[in-house]
């Protein structure tokens, strides 16, 4: 607990680390584990140095992870949609190749 009146909610550092952890979920196991460990470690330092309340860090990490997961689902859905629609119009979507 930092006890400072104007601490930020949610923690921006933790939010970025949550998004990174979300993206790392598609990595191979050793890279995924390293990235998750580093992400959680950086997030916990925000509590350790009394920069944020625990709730700030938890909310930030969860928010970042959720945003990252939603982004991954949106990109996957876009690729599927473009692939299904491209044969109907005979149009090739270059974004389909870029998102793989």
């Amino acid at each position: 607990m930092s006890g400072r009146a104007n601490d930020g909610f949610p923690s921006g550092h933790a939010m970025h680390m949550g998004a990174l952890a979300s993206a790392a979920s598609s990595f191979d196991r050793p890279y995924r584990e390293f990235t998750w460990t580093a992400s959680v470690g950086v997030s916990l330092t925000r509590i350790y140095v009394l920069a944020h309340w625990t709730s700030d860090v938890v909310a930030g990490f969860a928010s970042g992870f959720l945003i990252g997961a939603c982004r991954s689902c949106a990109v996957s859905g876009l690729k599927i949609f473009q692939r299904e629609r491209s044969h109907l119009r005979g149009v090739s979507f270059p974004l389909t190749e870029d998102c793989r």
Side-chain angles (χ1 to χ4, degrees), residues 27-35:
F27 293 173
D28 291 332
R29 185 174 182 172
Y31 302 112
R32 179 177 56 236
E33 289 175 354
F34 173 77
T35 305

Side-chain angles (χ1 to χ4, degrees), residues 22-23 67-77:
S22 177
I67 290 168
C70 288
R71 184 231 171 250
S72 295
C73 288
V75 168
S76 296

Side-chain angles (χ1 to χ4, degrees), residues 28-52:
D28 291 332
R29 185 174 182 172
Y31 302 112
R32 179 177 56 236
E33 289 175 354
F34 173 77
T35 305
W36 266 88
T37 302
S39 296
V40 170
V42 168
S43 296
L44 290 176
T45 63
R46 306 310 297 158
I47 300 167
Y48 181 75
V49 300
L50 302 178
H52 288 281

Side-chain angles (χ1 to χ4, degrees), residues 69-83 96 99:
C70 288
R71 184 231 171 250
S72 295
C73 288
V75 168
S76 296
L78 179 63
K79 289 192 307 187
I80 292 168
F81 175 76
Q82 288 177 340
R83 200 174 317 128
T96 305
C99 290

